[in-house]
Amino acid sequence: MPIKADSLTADSSSATRPAIGRPGIQSLRVARKDLLADGVVRLRLEEPHNSRVPDWTPGSHIELVLPTSDEGNISRHYSLCGDRWDPHAYEVAVLNEPNSRGGSRYIHDKLAVGDMITVGTPRNNFHLTQGKKFNFIAGGIGITPIMTMIKAAHTLGIDWHLHYGGRTRASMAFLDELEQYGDRVTVWPQDEMGHLDLSFLKEPVQDGRVYCCGPEPLLNAVAGAAAAWPSWAVRFERFVAAALEAPVRTEPFELELAVSKKTVTVGTDETVLSALACAGVPVLASCMEGVCGTCEVGVLKGTPEHRDSLLNDGERAKNDRMFVCVSRAISDRLVLDL
């Protein structure tokens, strides 16, 4: 089934974001568990009754709820990397992180074919938008969301190039699949070639877009190399939240909840999320770092202090939404669509 052109949003400065609300969950069966590269496994998660799974778009991720023995259930988010037109399954690739907080270690060491796992509805904070030239930049396991973008761009006939860096060739997933694209792909193992050459980013490309996913040092390097590009033309998907400075406002502020007609005070050392929960207005959250997008809430009035790692400069300037697990307020009062 061909990828539809309307799967791309009109412009990254006004990209359609997911609807606010509680994402659904479902139980899927681990149908396959394959070793893709050193320390990287791919999971195929199938609907056990051959029913449809929710649709998704390039750049989407899903939440896996993992029953680790030492911490109880924990949730982790992984980018989808399979066939988006497969109606009955999802695929993710997971790196066995040496400093794992439990998620990747459980998947690599304990999760087995046949196990059932709780999965959240796909969300997309890394939309592929319309453009004439796409530069994809991936570092290590950051190739996972990029794979789905490449497939979409290639099918639509859009000019694109992938710059793919990793520690070693053996640690780089999907190299076999990428061979079909020939010289559209630059593979850059660090042990052979040093750090990824980003000189191609020096000058902005008309109607160009840059999509980057990987570890923080790569994201910082790309941001610096692409400093001359419009901020909306350079998109990042982060593994962990960006480092934050102290909040602009340390004083308490008020939330006016337009739907529930409540007023809530957020204290100096309190998150908006926790204040809402204490007031009896819980909002679904997951990462607690402003990375996954689960706790997105609409802002009707006031100026939030955006402390997430999701919105670009143009989206922040609109001040029409915030991620309440980390973001706070600059104004004395925020009116939320809750």
Side-chain angles (χ1 to χ4, degrees):
M1 185 175 185
I3 294 177
K4 301 175 182 178
D6 63 4
S7 67
L8 306 188
T9 53
D11 188 88
S12 56
S13 61
S14 59
T16 302
R17 301 194 61 82
I20 297 169
R22 183 184 183 92
I25 59 173
Q26 58 189 146
S27 293
L28 301 182
R29 181 177 63 88
V30 181
R32 291 185 61 179
K33 181 179 178 181
D34 304 316
L35 185 65
L36 284 185
D38 287 351
V40 180
V41 295
R42 173 166 48 191
L43 302 178
R44 178 175 172 82
L45 308 173
E46 293 184 346
E47 212 294 322
H49 306 295
N50 208 36
S51 297
R52 289 190 65 92
V53 295
D55 294 336
W56 55 282
T57 53
S60 295
H61 66 267
I62 54 173
E63 179 182 16
L64 304 185
V65 181
L66 306 169
T68 59
S69 58
D70 54 343
E71 299 181 51
N73 288 348
I74 61 173
S75 66
R76 296 291 183 264
H77 295 258
Y78 298 102
S79 296
L80 290 164
C81 60
D83 179 5
R84 61 173 291 215
W85 300 114
D86 184 341
H88 307 299
Y90 297 135
E91 291 185 6
V92 296
V94 181
L95 172 67
N96 194 0
E97 294 279 2
N99 298 317
S100 171
R101 295 175 295 168
S104 68
R105 184 169 60 246
Y106 178 86
I107 288 172
H108 277 256
D109 296 345
K110 297 183 179 180
L111 190 65
V113 172
D115 287 353
M116 298 297 294
I117 188 169
T118 300
V119 179
T121 299
R123 297 180 64 89
N124 198 341
N125 304 310
F126 194 39
H127 294 277
L128 189 63
T129 63
Q130 289 183 354
K132 293 184 178 179
K133 169 67 177 180
F134 292 167
N135 275 301
F136 299 114
I137 305 170
I141 197 61
I143 189 62
T144 49
I146 299 297
M147 288 296 294
T148 64
M149 293 180 160
I150 286 173
K151 292 173 185 176
H154 197 73
T155 302
L156 291 169
I158 297 171
D159 186 16
W160 64 271
H161 194 96
L162 168 65
H163 307 263
Y164 181 16
R167 292 180 292 103
T168 65
R169 287 184 186 273
S171 70
M172 298 171 71
F174 300 110
L175 289 182
D176 290 345
E177 294 182 32
L178 289 168
E179 285 183 355
Q180 64 181 300
Y181 300 119
D183 60 7
R184 285 180 177 266
V185 176
T186 299
V187 176
W188 200 281
Q190 186 174 342
D191 64 335
E192 300 174 23
M193 306 170 70
H195 292 296
L196 191 63
D197 181 7
L198 300 175
S199 59
F200 63 91
L201 293 174
K202 183 176 181 180
E203 298 293 335
V205 175
Q206 185 175 3
D207 292 324
R209 302 289 187 272
V210 177
Y211 302 91
C212 179
C213 183
E216 192 69 16
L218 174 64
L219 304 187
N220 292 337
V222 169
W229 289 64
S231 63
W232 49 261
V234 184
R235 306 290 296 193
F236 296 100
E237 178 87 326
R238 296 179 179 274
F239 299 152
V240 296
L244 293 174
E245 298 180 354
V248 171
R249 181 191 183 96
T250 57
E251 301 87 354
F253 56 92
E254 287 192 338
L255 307 174
E256 180 182 334
L257 310 185
V259 177
S260 56
K261 307 300 181 184
K262 293 185 177 182
T263 299
V264 179
T265 299
V266 181
T268 299
D269 298 319
E270 188 177 24
T271 66
V272 173
L273 182 68
S274 61
L276 290 170
C278 290
V281 187
V283 174
L284 188 70
S286 180
C287 72
M288 310 305 290
E289 296 180 338
V291 174
C292 72
T294 304
C295 66
E296 186 175 4
V297 169
V299 178
L300 303 178
K301 291 183 181 180
T303 306
E305 181 192 0
H306 299 289
R307 297 174 63 79
D308 62 90
S309 298
L310 295 166
L311 301 177
N312 63 31
D313 292 345
E315 291 166 333
R316 292 184 176 204
K318 293 179 180 178
N319 290 323
D320 62 352
R321 57 193 61 227
M322 66 187 294
F323 298 92
V324 295
C325 69
V326 292
S327 296
R328 293 180 60 81
I330 295 175
S331 55
D332 293 338
R333 175 181 289 245
L334 295 176
V335 180
L336 303 183
D337 189 15
L338 287 173

